[in-house]
Amino acid sequence: GQQVMQIPQYQHVQEGEDFTTYCNSSTTLSNIQWYKQRPGGHPVFLIQLVKSGEVKKQKRLTFQFGEAKKNSSLHITATQTTDVGTYFCAGFSGNKLTFGGGTRVLVKP
Amino acid sequence: EPEVTQTPSHQVTQMGQEVILRCVPISNHLYFYWYRQILGQKVEFLVSFYNNEISEKSEIFDDQFSVERPDGSNFTLKIRSTKLEDSAMYFCASTWDRGSQPQHFGDGTRLSIL
């Protein structure tokens, strides 16, 4: 079955620094979605990418969808303490979302 | 903003007992989902539901699991005979379009099997 993998599993970032988390799917995706889950919370939708090579920005967050629609990345610039949480990519195919393992982000002030 | 609501927030059940988790999706949404998240792990798809029938289900969703939309507003997940490994957070989600719209998640039900 479809598998979605994310690296790194953990990201310890100094406040103000940049980092990137990567997502890879074993199959071509219709679209890819990114969610953020705060500790003790539920996944909250951030963005969806549909087109091959698509790049979208949300303030300090930049999302990219690969040309083959099998990989994606999330780049955060100037990390803030509010960025703490787990970022999941999720690939949509068929009738389901398959989540990656997530990147747990910890920010050092 | 409309929300997906789930009840109860925490359910403690003896192993072998039946449990029903309840969800009220956003009112104009047509597609409904259940996910499971074991503590510290990823969100796992269980089942999708549309037009009063299951669209897709995962390997986790075996004969012990069932879903129902009994009255047009509630969407329930039943586990017939719970096992210790069913302990997890269960999230309900809904969307009005199959794949092109984000899924809205409820706050989840924490299921603890003793």
Side-chain angles (χ1 to χ4, degrees):
Chain A
Q2 180 186 38
Q3 291 186 356
V4 178
M5 291 146 287
Q6 270 184 267
I7 55 170
Q9 187 177 358
Y10 296 95
Q11 182 78 56
H12 295 248
V13 192
Q14 191 74 42
E15 191 174 12
E17 290 186 342
D18 304 351
F19 74 91
T20 303
T21 173
Y22 300 90
C23 175
N24 285 287
S25 169
S26 59
T27 60
T28 302
L29 300 168
S30 303
N31 64 60
I32 196 153
Q33 301 178 14
W34 284 87
Y35 290 79
K36 179 182 179 181
Q37 185 178 29
R38 293 185 184 276
H42 60 272
V44 175
F45 175 80
L46 293 177
I47 209 157
Q48 175 175 271
L49 304 168
V50 179
K51 299 176 185 175
S52 170
E54 188 171 13
V55 178
K56 286 188 177 180
K57 291 190 176 185
Q58 281 183 355
K59 297 182 181 178
R60 295 178 294 103
L61 279 59
T62 301
F63 303 84
Q64 188 165 9
F65 201 9
E67 294 291 338
K69 300 184 75 172
K70 294 179 71 174
N71 58 69
S72 181
S73 64
L74 160 59
H75 181 76
I76 299 182
T77 58
T79 305
Q80 299 176 357
T81 54
T82 52
D83 295 327
V84 164
T86 301
Y87 293 82
F88 291 99
C89 65
F92 192 87
S93 183
N95 287 300
K96 67 179 185 180
L97 268 182
T98 301
F99 280 76
T103 294
R104 186 171 297 178
V105 175
L106 302 171
V107 180
K108 294 177 280 188
Chain B
E1 186 176 325
E3 292 181 340
V4 174
T5 56
Q6 289 185 244
T7 55
S9 57
H10 192 189
Q11 174 80 47
V12 182
T13 302
Q14 291 287 331
M15 185 173 60
Q17 295 296 306
E18 176 184 284
V19 66
I20 297 176
L21 309 182
R22 290 182 166 79
C23 169
V24 178
I26 295 173
S27 62
N28 64 339
H29 284 186
L30 302 175
Y31 296 83
F32 314 113
Y33 306 84
W34 282 102
Y35 295 88
R36 179 182 82 175
Q37 186 177 33
I38 295 170
L39 185 63
Q41 298 187 23
K42 69 177 181 180
V43 177
E44 299 175 289
F45 169 82
L46 292 178
V47 66
S48 59
F49 191 86
Y50 169 71
N51 200 27
N52 279 324
E53 59 183 28
I54 291 173
S55 305
E56 190 159 351
K57 58 184 180 179
S58 72
E59 293 173 352
I60 302 168
F61 195 89
D62 61 20
D63 292 345
Q64 294 299 311
F65 290 85
S66 62
V67 289
E68 199 175 33
R69 189 158 159 80
D71 56 13
S73 63
N74 290 285
F75 178 50
T76 62
L77 174 69
K78 182 192 292 186
I79 309 175
R80 272 181 259 286
S81 178
T82 50
K83 303 185 283 286
L84 292 176
E85 53 264 39
D86 292 328
S87 295
M89 183 72 89
Y90 287 81
F91 291 107
C92 172
S94 71
T95 183
W96 67 268
D97 191 14
R98 187 171 66 92
S100 65
Q101 296 298 319
Q103 295 191 10
H104 296 260
F105 283 75
D107 287 338
T109 292
R110 181 172 299 283
L111 179 62
S112 300
I113 306 301
L114 305 179

